[in-house]
Amino acid sequence: MFAKAFRVKSNTAIKGSDRRKLRADVAAAFPRLDSEAVSELVSNKEELNVVKVYAHKGEAVTIYVRQRNPVFFEVDGHLYPTVYTLWSYPDLLPAFITWPPVLQKLIGGADLMLPGVVVPPSGLPQVLPDHLCAVTLVGNRAPVAVGFATMSTAEMLGAGMRGKGVTILHTYSDQLWMFGDKSSPPTIAPLEVNPEEGDGSEDDGQEDYASNMSPDSCLGPSLENLNLGVEETASAPAHYNDMVNTALSEDVEVDGEDTERTLETEDHRTPQEQMDELLHQCFFHALKCKVKKDDLPLLTSTFLRNHLFACCPQGQQVDIKKSSYKKLSKFLHCMQQRKVLQVKELTKGVESIVDIDWKHYDIRSFVVPDMESAAVETSESKEGSGDPTFQPPDIIPLYGISGRVAPLFKESGHRKGDYLLASDVRSIVISYVKNNELVDEVNRNLVIVDPILCDCLLERSEYQEVAKLKWDDLITRCLERMQASHQVTFPGQAPIVRKGNLDPIEITVAQRSSNKKVTMIKNLELYGLDPHALATLLQQRVQASATVHALPGSKDSVQVQIQGNQVHHLGKMLLDEYHIPRKFIQGLDKAAKPGKKK
């Protein structure tokens, strides 16, 4: 129900009489709660709001929020507890146990299928159709989902544990959970059960449940750990791994179209939710593997650039602006509220991470993805596909023989339209002068101008005035009267010769409204650079919005625009990482001066 974003209709505080009514409704709906627990959940002293929303399918839902955390939600007159409430009262509802990989599907909007249910030695909880129940993970009694049973316990066993078992209404890390403080499930140890008291009819593989599944071996996962896979349930019997695979892929024909929706493997999360997950994964990866105690205090900007970004999986990029947090400071403040770390402003306007609780549940339970092997595979695939890392093109200035100077190059066998290096032009002109004995005998630094040199290199006004030229002047005049051209050779490609000089990468800084500045870059394509890729990378580095748009009056050229004066970062990237020669970059002098506002 809450797999996708919902629309808030109203948010009002609950007054005294409404609180009393809510307490009575809670007590009637959940008889396992004593009066003290009911009074604690619906207290007269704490902030309590009623929020009316519309789910993504149009259902009208009422959410009761205590101290900014949703505690109950009401649909069609029925009251249901949230996972926040169940973490305080884990035995409030009968609970079915499943494997961590199944949680990923429940979060995406799927229902709990019976092949994914783990039957403990004590047997399944006793439920009737439409009875409210919870879902927990192996090794942790903290509920991660709430729903209602589709059949009785006897019917489940009679069906051979096949088909849909629980229709899921709400899960940990769905939109209702995100409406609260986004805290992670606590670790609640399973109840001790004597295997001899269990039902001896269960499979032998399940007799090892209590011994194989300790709280430490299968801690309940958090959203940051959604990379958890079936292979990570190594402590479970192989029989159960097969059940997990069946639960995630088996096509059980129970409820027609609804079953197809349940078994759907598509990612139902919005791009913002996916970015939140990636941000959490990289954050906890960095804390667990990159940051050391000696690094503290650590500037938050340094943490982002050198540690968090470094933990991003191959082919993905963290963009905090596309997450629900929007800013790094807001995200770190949220982590501070969860007591994962502590952030302080040691210098005015500059925040630093001063302390990290490496014993925090979220850090301890995070499973580091195997990025090294993925990086090796990616590297090997790139080598095999002939896609090496970026190498700058080889750029050589050339000079085309024009009709005017063609007679000068006739003796060397060249004709109009041929392209020569500057050194070749110099050698050919020197050979022509020496072969025709045009070096002045008195001053060997001068060259006598013969009729061919006169026609090729002199202006009409100089015909009667200039009889001799210096060597440097002779070569310079020759190059000036030739067609300026250039040759570009990209790695693994044939050389490309173009007329005219190669335009440099042009960097400009413009001022927009409200005294804001933007940096614009063009001509990247001429050097083999992908403007979109560079814009994305630069946006990630400086955490500023970047766009790519076509240049006015040009069909193929585009311009990258990024907020702020980013000339320093851009210049360092082009020079140090892409190895573009400085002479081909124009505008590096426009970088913001140290101490000045960008």
Side-chain angles (χ1 to χ4, degrees):
M1 176 175 289
F2 300 104
K4 295 183 180 180
F6 51 76
R7 180 167 58 90
V8 177
K9 179 184 177 183
S10 63
N11 186 345
T12 57
I14 301 180
K15 298 180 181 179
S17 58
D18 293 330
R19 291 187 185 224
R20 288 191 293 272
K21 181 179 182 303
L22 179 59
R23 269 197 295 271
D25 292 341
V26 171
F30 308 104
R32 291 191 183 186
L33 289 175
D34 55 27
S35 58
E36 183 179 346
V38 173
S39 298
E40 182 181 351
L41 288 170
V42 189
S43 172
N44 287 326
K45 299 180 180 179
E46 294 178 331
E47 179 184 1
L48 192 63
N49 285 39
V50 56
V51 182
K52 295 186 178 182
V53 303
Y54 290 109
H56 69 280
K57 287 189 176 181
E59 306 101 319
V61 183
T62 302
I63 304 173
Y64 298 96
V65 182
R66 185 191 69 176
Q67 292 184 330
R68 300 184 180 180
N69 266 353
V71 288
F72 297 101
F73 63 99
E74 186 176 347
V75 183
D76 295 333
H78 297 285
L79 204 60
Y80 304 95
T82 67
V83 290
Y84 291 108
T85 299
L86 292 177
W87 291 342
S88 299
Y89 304 95
D91 299 320
L92 180 60
L93 302 177
F96 291 90
I97 304 170
T98 190
W99 297 103
V102 178
L103 175 60
Q104 301 179 41
K105 302 301 176 184
L106 303 185
I107 292 172
D111 295 325
L112 180 62
M113 308 302 292
L114 290 177
V117 174
V118 177
V119 182
S122 58
L124 293 174
Q126 296 299 313
V127 296
L128 294 175
D130 298 328
H131 267 202
L132 198 58
C133 55
V135 178
T136 64
L137 299 178
V138 170
N140 190 356
R141 279 197 305 130
V144 293
V146 180
F148 54 86
T150 59
M151 60 183 84
S152 67
T153 304
E155 290 172 332
M156 293 179 186
L157 296 173
M161 296 302 289
R162 300 180 70 85
K164 184 194 299 185
V166 179
T167 298
I168 301 299
L169 298 175
H170 157 54
T171 68
Y172 160 62
S173 81
D174 67 4
Q175 294 295 318
L176 181 58
W177 171 84
M178 294 181 70
F179 199 68
D181 62 11
K182 304 179 183 179
S183 56
S184 300
T187 302
I188 305 176
L191 297 174
E192 293 294 332
V193 179
N194 186 351
E196 295 180 358
E197 296 177 0
D199 187 353
S201 63
E202 301 296 339
D203 294 339
D204 293 339
Q206 296 187 10
E207 293 178 2
D208 295 331
Y209 171 86
S211 61
N212 284 342
M213 293 292 108
S214 65
D216 294 332
S217 64
C218 261
L219 293 173
S222 60
L223 180 61
E224 301 84 7
N225 191 20
L226 287 185
N227 59 329
L228 187 64
V230 177
E231 64 275 10
E232 289 158 4
T233 60
S235 57
H239 170 68
Y240 287 131
N241 290 339
D242 294 338
M243 291 178 66
V244 171
N245 290 327
T246 302
L248 298 181
S249 61
E250 186 182 41
D251 187 11
V252 184
E253 296 182 1
V254 179
D255 294 320
E257 294 181 359
D258 191 55
T259 304
E260 292 179 5
R261 179 193 65 81
T262 301
L263 296 171
E264 211 172 22
T265 58
E266 293 181 4
D267 196 341
H268 294 270
R269 295 167 299 161
T270 64
Q272 186 180 80
E273 293 168 350
Q274 295 177 24
M275 185 57 65
D276 282 351
E277 177 193 334
L278 180 61
L279 176 60
H280 280 87
Q281 176 181 319
C282 296
F283 172 75
F284 285 102
H285 188 176
L287 293 188
K288 194 164 187 174
C289 302
K290 300 291 183 182
V291 182
K292 307 300 179 186
K293 191 172 183 179
D294 295 340
D295 296 333
L296 303 179
L298 180 65
L299 289 174
T300 56
S301 58
T302 303
F303 168 73
L304 177 71
R305 183 174 60 254
N306 296 344
H307 301 288
L308 193 147
F309 284 160
C311 295
C312 193
Q314 195 81 10
Q316 293 180 278
Q317 292 180 343
V318 175
D319 187 348
I320 297 180
K321 289 184 179 294
K322 294 182 180 178
S323 70
S324 61
Y325 301 96
K326 304 302 181 185
K327 294 182 178 180
L328 176 64
S329 57
K330 184 177 179 181
F331 171 71
L332 293 178
H333 180 68
C334 180
M335 293 299 108
Q336 181 170 260
Q337 288 183 324
R338 289 167 60 173
K339 299 181 180 180
V340 177
L341 47 69
Q342 187 176 359
V343 178
K344 283 188 177 180
E345 193 174 292
L346 300 181
T347 307
K348 188 175 181 180
V350 180
E351 291 186 334
S352 298
I353 299 173
V354 296
D355 188 34
I356 298 173
D357 182 10
W358 275 284
K359 294 183 180 180
H360 193 278
Y361 167 77
D362 287 343
I363 300 178
R364 288 190 300 107
S365 63
F366 178 77
V367 178
V368 178
D370 189 7
M371 294 177 63
E372 292 185 4
S373 61
V376 171
E377 290 176 5
T378 304
S379 176
E380 290 176 353
S381 63
K382 281 188 175 182
E383 290 176 4
S385 61
D387 183 23
T389 56
F390 178 82
Q391 295 180 12
D394 185 20
I395 303 169
I396 302 174
L398 295 178
Y399 296 87
I401 299 176
S402 62
R404 181 172 180 179
V405 298
L408 181 59
F409 293 90
K410 188 175 181 180
E411 288 185 5
S412 62
H414 295 89
R415 58 184 180 179
K416 179 182 176 181
D418 289 349
Y419 293 96
L420 300 172
L421 297 172
S423 57
D424 294 334
V425 172
R426 184 182 184 88
S427 298
I428 292 172
V429 171
I430 291 175
S431 297
Y432 175 84
V433 170
K434 289 183 177 180
N435 291 338
N436 291 276
E437 298 179 352
L438 299 177
V439 179
D440 186 63
E441 293 181 358
V442 178
N443 187 352
R444 302 191 66 85
N445 290 327
L446 297 177
V447 175
I448 300 171
V449 177
D450 69 350
I452 291 180
L453 292 179
C454 179
D455 292 339
C456 293
L457 306 181
L458 298 183
E459 300 296 334
R460 288 186 179 274
S461 60
E462 297 175 321
Y463 283 179
Q464 304 299 325
E465 299 176 1
V466 179
K468 297 178 183 179
L469 291 171
K470 291 183 179 180
W471 278 107
D472 289 343
D473 192 16
L474 179 73
I475 302 300
T476 300
R477 284 174 178 255
C478 184
L479 293 175
E480 288 175 349
R481 284 154 178 76
M482 299 180 72
Q483 173 67 58
S485 308
H486 63 275
Q487 175 182 286
V488 180
T489 306
F490 293 99
Q493 299 182 23
I496 302 173
V497 177
R498 301 190 184 101
K499 292 182 180 181
N501 292 316
L502 180 63
D503 293 330
I505 295 175
E506 188 175 335
I507 304 173
T508 57
V509 178
Q511 189 162 317
R512 297 290 189 253
S513 60
S514 303
N515 201 31
K516 293 183 178 179
K517 294 182 178 180
V518 294
T519 303
M520 295 172 289
I521 315 102
K522 64 180 181 180
N523 298 332
L524 293 168
E525 314 95 317
L526 301 178
Y527 297 84
L529 294 171
D530 183 352
H532 293 84
L534 187 136
T536 303
L537 181 59
L538 191 60
Q539 176 177 325
Q540 179 186 14
R541 295 278 180 87
V542 302
Q543 287 297 294
S545 175
T547 58
V548 180
H549 54 82
L551 280 172
S554 177
K555 295 182 179 179
D556 303 323
S557 299
V558 297
Q559 178 175 264
V560 175
Q561 179 174 301
I562 186 163
Q563 290 182 349
N565 187 331
Q566 311 297 348
V567 177
H568 175 72
H569 296 283
L570 181 61
K572 189 174 182 181
M573 184 186 300
L574 293 174
L575 293 171
D576 299 342
E577 298 181 30
Y578 291 104
H579 306 291
I580 303 296
R582 184 179 290 271
K583 64 181 179 181
F584 294 118
I585 305 175
Q586 179 180 312
L588 293 176
D589 57 327
K590 294 180 174 61
K593 301 296 186 291
K596 295 285 185 76
K597 184 179 178 181
K598 294 185 179 181

